[in-house]
Amino acid sequence: MKHTFSRLLLAAALLGPVGAHFAQAADVVELRQPNASKVVVKLQFRNGSSADPVGKEGLTFLTSQLVTEGGTKAMTAAQLKDFLYPMATTYYATTDKEVTTFTFEFHKDFTDKFYPVLQGLILTPSFTQQDFDRLKSNQLNYVEQVIRASSDEDYSKFALEDQLFRGTRFQHMTRGTAAGVRSLTLDDVKKHYAAAFGKDNLTIGIAGNFPASFAKKLKDDLEKLPKSTAKPVVPTVAAPKGIHVEIISKTDALGSAVYAGFPIQTTRASDDFAALMVANSFLGEHRKSYGRLYDKIRTTRSMNYGDYSYIEWYENGGQNMLPVPGVPRHANYASLWLRPVQIAEGLRKQYPTELGGLTVGHAPFALRLAVREMDNLVKNGMSKEDFEITRTFLRSYVKLYGTTPSKQLGFLLDSKFYGRKDYLKELDGQFAKLTLDDVNKAIKKHWQTQNMYVTIVTDDSEAQPLADVLKQNTPSPMSYAKVVSEGLPKEVVAEDAQVANYKLNVTEVKVIDTKDTFK
Amino acid sequence: MKHSVQTWLLAAGLLAAPLAQAQKKAAPAATTPAATSTAAPAFPYPIQQKQLANGMNVVTVPFDSPGLASVFLVVRAGSRDEVEPGHTGFAHFFEHVMFRGTDKYSKEQYDQVLKSVGASANANTSLDRTVYHMTGNATMLEKMLEVEADRFQHLKYAEHDFKAEAGAVKGEYTKNSASLYTQLNEKVADAAFDKHTYEHTTMGFFKDVVDMPNQYQYSLQFFDRFYRPEYTTLLVVGDVKTEQVNQLADKYFSMWKRGSYQPAITQEPEQTAPRYVHIQNANFPPLVSLSYRGPAFNDQSKDLPALDILTTMLFSDNSPLYQKLVVKEQKVRFVGGSPNYTRDPYLTSIRASVVKAADMAYVKDEITKALEDLKTTPVDAKRLADTKSALKYSFLMGLDSPDQIANGLAQYIWLTGNPQSLNNFYALYDQVTPADIQAAAKKYFVPEHLTVGTIGPNPTGGVQ
């Protein structure tokens, strides 16, 4: 029964705006923890960057930042900062594609003192020109400069989404596009706040050590919010025909950062998802040395720092070891993350006598190996033994997702988003019931390797030679230094030969200048 | 207050290399009158300690986290201990090698155990230490200790595996180096130190990273030197009992043999003139960083608490400097700074992300002026009390989970070898007076002890 119900929810979500089922009043999630020293309040609005008006990409993000950065009707921003300073309260806003979440954390000693501030920020935020100018400038700086020059890993990840969701409201980064952010005005912010942050698209979450009266007051006060008119727009995305590769060429990149992905039609709302979690964990659990990809690309061949796979958005994977809540989505995709591999120039410099003539670095080999591993899993499924140990791992591991009150509350809010009561708790029951057959069926149903998008951020010296190899599907033998190749086991050498000649179904390859991204 | 733009800037831009990998900084109790007093300690949980006969310290903190336990092994060896030329970055490299297996548990078997424990396990290295951590199913504590004890005592890796791991470390360098902040951190450390091993970041000099495949013999020596009980503390936090931890520690670690090596670390001579480094890049937000020589960590001296309070006060978003540069003039996207907690004297770094490159000199002067003011004008008593309160509550609010608690405590273990240093150190905060702040400003913020780092569009930083 549940299965059917979840599918209905999913179908509804994929077909149109997700606001159709909302009640008029805010939903509430409470997690009372009498031993805790603090209180966490999360206010999650169903808007997100996909609710940005066309041409105003980045507006939801900027609006939410301005709420937390400004003052209230009762206190200016400066007075408020002075007032809160000794309490060390923490509050911030995060905007993803479909939700914006305000998180407030404060010590229980200050519940009464802090509450008027919380209430004022949400109900009567002061949107000043001064704060607006500053935050807009920072946001523009991020989309124009910082994202291109701070982390090639994040760059390739956002660029993959740009490709995957092209033409939809999921395409732009949550911080927006350069043109979108440039066009924003303070008036846009004020209007968007009234339109996109309403009591009818709000879920209230409260965790920690708080009295019942606090929860009641919060609920009653937030009833004063207007009804929302802006909705997130959730796309239905099809996989491309063949593998489409975009290579972003920039100066002075030391490596090639690779992200590949294709849409999948399942989310945490579906029981299928738990089955796919097992397959995904086996292939490439995030930041773990157990995954197939990690074992073959990093441990055995020493090609880079790590290689992982995903079946949903993973926030800030370079910093987070465990998934964080607050980024739930209905439009989903599977992806492969290969952290930067060496480019030809770097290998030539390191091993001039052995690799002095190299023209292409490790990227095509790494990509072929990763896709081939996924393909093997699609064709052959998991073994009984691998299934059992991976399931055992996950049954314990998912408990680590919610080790703090804030994370527990966040996952409860995400549960609501997906139409579940308590996702983390329910998962264990789902894992317990799973069979190997369920997992192998889910793999076949949701994964394939013929049609996907690939984004590679690399050095300008590497971009064209890499494009040529991928376009022409010419063999890409692994270029080992002698120190490594001398000791390789025979089976690795044999597998290398197969990987080097593995045909990727590449149908399109483009080289793009870094200046032309996220415009 | 944490706002997401600031959080990002903080992570990317403010912190120098060691802090970027280090724990969230803890802070003081506001009401503890003295280090030796009987007042309630800052750390709200009892710290249980036992030393094994071989010198290994065993620390247990029972914490209400049903079914979960964090196991940390803190090794007091980091890039500071890389005393021979050509081996920079080796402590970090060795951290990778530690995952390569033993006779009893090959790498694959070790991974299978971690899977069976359902653990999140990893390690990280910084200037003064390497930390191995595992958080997982508390009922599997014995298994966790068994596999950790096995590799700490019986690590065995083939030369080929060693060489292969070097590629992963070069990949990590490649990943990090995409950030100009990382590149600037490298340059600042190299310029600020000539003799002390703090002259290189934990990743090491690139030429040494490239040469790592050739250092197999040295790696055996490195293991023999530092992976010894007297360098190591076992720290367990979570749903465990102290007797159980001590008993298991005895069972699995008591046969580990003590070593004898002590690195001879050359102390840095006094700096006599300011130093300057610059990265030219027109496509990145301009940055000014001021790194002053700071004190070594010491749980009996008020210097570091004074510097911590001082920088918190100076750069908090309600401070006059922040309000002027960031909010009103909007010449700066972010300004911040803090001392580093290190075993030997290191740097107190201040950084400002500047909107227009033409304002870099102005911003540097404004920061310097604010530091000079602190030398002559005593800070307001209420502001000082508020800052102590802010630090206290920020500390308490960060103790939510076993791994966070273990992280916080591990810092004091690697700094002094004794987790109680945390309570000793925070007891000092309440003794800090306006005069102490003035004294710290005078002692540490002197131009001849400064290294200026800049990122900007021109061939030089232009802030001399």
Side-chain angles (χ1 to χ4, degrees):
Chain A
M1 277 311 285
K2 187 167 198 182
H3 202 70
T4 319
F5 175 67
S6 302
R7 280 189 178 186
L8 279 176
L9 268 185
L10 179 73
L14 289 171
L15 289 174
V18 290
H21 304 294
F22 293 154
Q24 293 306 299
D27 274 339
V28 183
V29 174
E30 285 186 49
L31 180 65
R32 195 164 306 182
Q33 298 164 317
N35 293 327
S37 62
K38 68 182 185 191
V39 185
V40 183
V41 173
K42 280 182 184 279
L43 305 178
Q44 186 167 86
F45 292 91
R46 294 205 189 173
N47 46 38
S49 61
S50 69
D52 291 343
V54 174
K56 300 282 179 188
E57 289 77 14
L59 179 57
T60 307
F61 180 90
L62 182 57
T63 304
S64 68
Q65 299 306 307
L66 212 52
V67 169
T68 50
E69 191 64 23
T72 69
K73 205 174 171 184
M75 269 192 256
T76 65
Q79 286 170 333
L80 200 145
K81 285 171 202 278
D82 267 341
F83 176 71
L84 295 176
Y85 180 58
M87 300 183 227
T89 49
T90 302
Y91 61 89
Y92 55 91
T94 55
T95 296
D96 192 51
K97 302 284 187 191
E98 292 184 62
V99 299
T100 295
T101 311
F102 297 98
T103 301
F104 303 87
E105 298 193 36
F106 44 96
H107 199 274
K108 65 178 166 56
D109 291 358
F110 303 121
T111 304
D112 293 337
K113 219 172 166 183
F114 180 65
Y115 182 73
V117 174
L118 188 166
Q119 184 212 50
L121 286 171
I122 296 300
L123 293 177
T124 56
S126 70
F127 293 123
T128 68
Q129 189 67 43
Q130 190 181 49
D131 288 332
F132 171 84
D133 291 342
R134 180 164 60 89
L135 296 177
K136 177 179 161 177
S137 164
N138 286 348
Q139 194 170 328
L140 189 61
N141 184 242
Y142 180 86
V143 300
E144 287 191 327
Q145 291 195 328
V146 174
I147 181 58
R148 298 193 186 115
S150 298
S151 161
D152 289 349
E153 301 182 332
D154 285 345
Y155 191 7
S156 64
K157 188 179 189 179
F158 292 136
L160 175 73
E161 291 211 320
D162 187 283
Q163 222 194 142
L164 218 148
F165 293 114
R166 200 155 287 167
T168 78
R169 303 311 292 154
F170 265 45
Q171 179 185 346
H172 58 276
M173 287 187 290
T174 55
R175 282 183 172 82
T177 58
V181 177
R182 251 189 240 115
S183 79
L184 301 179
T185 65
L186 181 57
D187 200 42
D188 289 333
V189 167
K190 288 177 180 168
K191 281 186 187 148
H192 195 60
Y193 192 70
F197 295 82
K199 62 182 168 189
D200 56 335
N201 68 347
L202 167 65
T203 309
I204 300 170
I206 319 169
N209 193 345
F210 58 93
S213 58
F214 176 83
K216 184 170 183 325
K217 180 142 185 54
L218 180 63
K219 277 183 267 180
D220 290 348
D221 283 342
L222 292 176
E223 274 301 303
K224 292 172 196 154
L225 281 168
K227 275 192 190 172
S228 64
T229 51
K231 302 284 181 212
V233 184
V234 181
T236 306
V237 182
K241 291 206 167 72
I243 296 179
H244 289 202
V245 185
E246 287 191 352
I247 297 168
I248 296 170
S249 166
K250 59 179 267 189
T251 50
D252 298 330
L254 274 188
S256 294
V258 183
Y259 239 106
F262 55 87
I264 54 172
Q265 309 301 328
T266 187
T267 69
R268 293 183 207 172
S270 160
D271 281 1
D272 254 9
F273 197 76
L276 206 56
M277 275 177 85
V278 176
N280 186 62
S281 184
F282 173 70
L283 179 65
E285 181 72 43
H286 176 75
R287 307 289 304 273
K288 293 284 159 290
S289 56
Y290 330 137
R292 263 316 240 290
L293 298 177
Y294 187 102
D295 178 57
K296 297 221 165 184
I297 302 175
R298 171 170 159 169
T299 304
T300 303
R301 292 172 177 83
S302 164
M303 293 172 71
N304 64 355
Y305 185 53
D307 306 275
Y308 313 105
S309 61
Y310 304 89
I311 50 172
E312 62 181 349
W313 171 254
Y314 201 105
E315 180 72 13
N316 201 5
Q319 304 300 319
N320 288 324
M321 299 299 293
L322 287 151
V324 292
V327 287
R329 297 179 179 187
H330 289 98
N332 216 1
Y333 60 94
S335 61
L336 301 169
W337 181 29
L338 314 183
R339 307 191 80 170
V341 292
Q342 299 298 306
I343 56 172
E345 191 178 86
L347 290 161
R348 285 196 302 265
K349 277 185 195 157
Q350 186 172 6
Y351 303 105
T353 49
E354 305 155 49
L355 302 177
L358 201 68
T359 53
V360 185
H362 288 164
F365 184 92
L367 180 63
R368 281 179 157 144
L369 200 162
V371 173
R372 183 171 173 269
E373 280 309 309
M374 192 175 215
D375 196 25
N376 286 341
L377 211 44
V378 174
K379 285 180 181 139
N380 308 323
M382 285 178 74
S383 71
K384 181 79 180 154
E385 194 190 5
D386 288 333
F387 161 71
E388 288 297 350
I389 191 157
T390 308
R391 175 169 68 163
T392 302
F393 163 72
L394 282 173
R395 286 187 73 175
S396 181
Y397 190 65
V398 296
K399 294 190 173 75
L400 302 176
Y401 288 16
T403 50
T404 66
S406 180
K407 284 186 174 182
Q408 286 161 28
L409 183 63
F411 276 103
L412 282 174
L413 291 177
D414 287 359
S415 302
K416 279 254 175 195
F417 180 94
Y418 290 112
R420 291 192 175 277
K421 200 171 170 211
D422 187 340
Y423 171 67
L424 291 186
K425 272 196 187 139
E426 289 162 34
L427 256 184
D428 192 57
Q430 292 180 313
F431 286 136
K433 278 192 293 188
L434 272 184
T435 65
L436 173 63
D437 193 42
D438 293 333
V439 173
N440 287 336
K441 273 185 185 154
I443 293 174
K444 279 209 187 303
K445 183 174 164 190
H446 298 292
W447 279 354
Q448 49 78 35
T449 53
Q450 294 303 298
N451 308 301
M452 60 172 76
Y453 295 100
V454 178
T455 304
I456 306 173
V457 175
T458 193
D459 189 62
D460 48 12
S461 65
E462 183 88 355
Q464 197 53 51
L466 174 59
D468 293 342
V469 169
L470 293 173
K471 204 169 203 169
Q472 291 150 25
N473 239 323
T474 44
S476 54
M478 175 60 188
S479 318
Y480 292 111
K482 257 189 208 144
V483 290
V484 177
S485 63
E486 281 165 356
L488 283 175
K490 273 185 197 153
E491 58 273 20
V492 173
V493 175
E495 190 176 56
D496 282 352
Q498 291 173 2
V499 171
N501 291 289
Y502 180 78
K503 294 289 178 207
L504 294 171
N505 185 29
V506 175
T507 52
E508 203 177 299
V509 181
K510 274 188 208 160
V511 176
I512 293 170
D513 192 285
T514 182
K515 290 190 192 76
D516 296 325
T517 51
F518 308 135
K519 274 187 160 172
Chain B
M1 273 151 289
K2 187 170 80 175
H3 304 290
S4 61
V5 172
Q6 288 190 5
T7 307
W8 165 80
L9 281 167
L10 183 76
L14 163 65
L15 301 174
L19 271 186
Q21 292 175 62
Q23 315 339 341
K24 183 176 176 173
K25 194 162 44 127
T31 51
T32 320
T36 50
S37 87
T38 53
F43 189 67
Y45 310 104
I47 300 169
Q48 311 285 349
Q49 289 198 71
K50 180 191 171 184
Q51 193 163 57
L52 302 185
N54 59 17
M56 187 171 108
N57 202 11
V58 180
V59 178
T60 308
V61 179
F63 175 73
D64 181 22
S65 57
L68 290 179
S70 287
V71 173
F72 279 48
L73 280 141
V74 183
V75 183
R76 299 183 73 204
S79 53
R80 166 186 180 267
D81 303 285
E82 295 156 357
V83 291
E84 289 119 334
H87 295 131
T88 69
F90 211 86
H92 167 248
F93 179 48
F94 203 83
E95 169 214 316
H96 284 241
V97 177
M98 277 293 284
F99 290 86
R100 281 284 176 173
T102 68
D103 276 339
K104 192 172 176 192
Y105 290 101
S106 66
K107 181 172 186 318
E108 293 71 34
Q109 288 164 326
Y110 180 77
D111 281 350
Q112 294 297 82
V113 169
L114 293 188
K115 275 188 124 178
S116 73
V117 172
S120 173
N122 215 314
N124 54 70
T125 308
S126 188
L127 297 179
D128 296 329
R129 86 306 188 272
T130 306
V131 174
Y132 298 82
H133 56 91
M134 192 184 283
T135 299
N137 189 337
T139 62
M140 303 286 280
L141 180 67
E142 177 158 6
K143 199 66 186 173
M144 293 193 229
L145 295 192
E146 187 202 326
V147 291
E148 292 303 72
D150 178 52
R151 66 175 177 151
F152 272 68
Q153 292 169 70
H154 309 298
L155 182 71
K156 196 172 172 188
Y157 47 90
E159 189 164 355
H160 168 76
D161 289 352
F162 174 86
K163 289 174 174 173
E165 195 58 44
V169 173
K170 192 181 171 202
E172 188 174 353
Y173 188 97
T174 302
K175 165 187 82 72
N176 294 345
S177 200
S179 166
L180 289 183
Y181 296 132
T182 304
Q183 294 175 28
L184 191 71
N185 284 340
E186 275 185 350
K187 281 185 175 249
V188 167
D190 199 7
F193 293 91
D194 295 326
K195 303 286 183 199
H196 194 282
T197 44
Y198 286 161
E199 72 175 333
H200 54 80
T201 66
T202 299
M203 285 305 296
F205 294 128
F206 188 59
K207 65 178 170 53
D208 295 343
V209 173
V210 167
D211 191 52
M212 277 172 180
N214 305 316
Q215 301 299 330
Y216 178 67
Q217 286 306 321
Y218 184 78
S219 77
L220 301 176
Q221 198 182 356
F222 192 88
F223 184 62
D224 187 59
R225 284 176 176 176
F226 294 110
Y227 285 73
R228 295 287 186 178
E230 73 273 19
Y231 277 96
T232 308
T233 297
L234 168 66
L235 167 64
V236 182
V237 180
D239 188 6
V240 296
K241 292 196 164 53
T242 305
E243 311 77 62
Q244 171 201 17
V245 172
N246 287 342
Q247 196 194 350
L248 291 172
D250 247 341
K251 182 173 170 185
Y252 291 108
F253 286 97
S254 60
M255 64 293 272
W256 197 6
K257 289 202 171 47
R258 193 190 273 270
S260 59
Y261 179 77
Q262 286 192 336
I265 291 165
T266 309
Q267 291 305 311
E268 187 68 23
E270 179 153 346
Q271 187 176 337
T272 53
R275 299 170 184 183
Y276 300 89
V277 292
H278 178 65
I279 292 176
Q280 183 178 11
N281 192 313
N283 302 311
F284 197 75
L287 184 92
V288 177
S289 82
L290 307 177
S291 297
Y292 292 91
R293 290 275 177 87
F297 179 86
N298 180 335
D299 69 1
Q300 301 300 316
S301 157
K302 284 193 279 181
D303 281 13
L304 261 182
L307 282 173
D308 191 19
I309 290 171
L310 178 163
T311 48
T312 303
M313 209 181 274
L314 197 60
F315 302 117
S316 64
D317 54 10
N318 65 341
S319 71
L321 184 72
Y322 185 96
Q323 286 291 319
K324 181 180 186 196
L325 293 179
V326 179
V327 179
K328 292 199 177 76
E329 295 179 353
Q330 305 202 0
K331 290 182 187 294
V332 166
R333 297 188 193 283
F334 179 79
V335 58
S338 63
N340 283 296
Y341 296 179
T342 46
R343 291 181 67 181
D344 295 324
Y346 192 57
L347 301 170
T348 290
S349 290
I350 297 159
R351 292 194 168 189
S353 175
V354 181
V355 176
K356 289 183 187 149
D359 290 328
M360 285 165 70
Y362 167 76
V363 170
K364 186 214 165 199
D365 289 346
E366 285 295 305
I367 295 170
T368 313
K369 212 157 65 180
L371 292 172
E372 287 301 317
D373 283 351
L374 285 170
K375 295 178 185 175
T376 50
T377 315
V379 298
D380 174 68
K382 179 173 185 302
R383 178 91 176 137
L384 178 59
D386 283 354
T387 305
K388 289 177 181 178
S389 170
L391 290 168
K392 169 192 166 184
Y393 279 104
S394 147
F395 169 59
L396 290 175
M397 298 227 311
L399 299 175
D400 271 344
S401 62
D403 58 320
Q404 286 176 356
I405 292 169
N407 255 327
L409 212 48
Q411 182 172 16
Y412 298 88
I413 289 169
W414 82 65
L415 286 168
T416 67
N418 179 11
Q420 287 293 355
S421 281
L422 184 154
N423 285 323
N424 299 341
F425 183 63
Y426 292 142
L428 295 167
Y429 275 71
D430 264 335
Q431 300 175 16
V432 173
T433 63
D436 291 328
I437 306 265
Q438 270 181 291
K442 280 183 195 160
K443 186 170 170 187
Y444 293 106
F445 297 120
V446 291
E448 56 269 33
H449 289 180
L450 172 64
T451 300
V452 179
T454 44
I455 300 173
N458 302 318
T460 66
V463 297
Q464 278 91 334

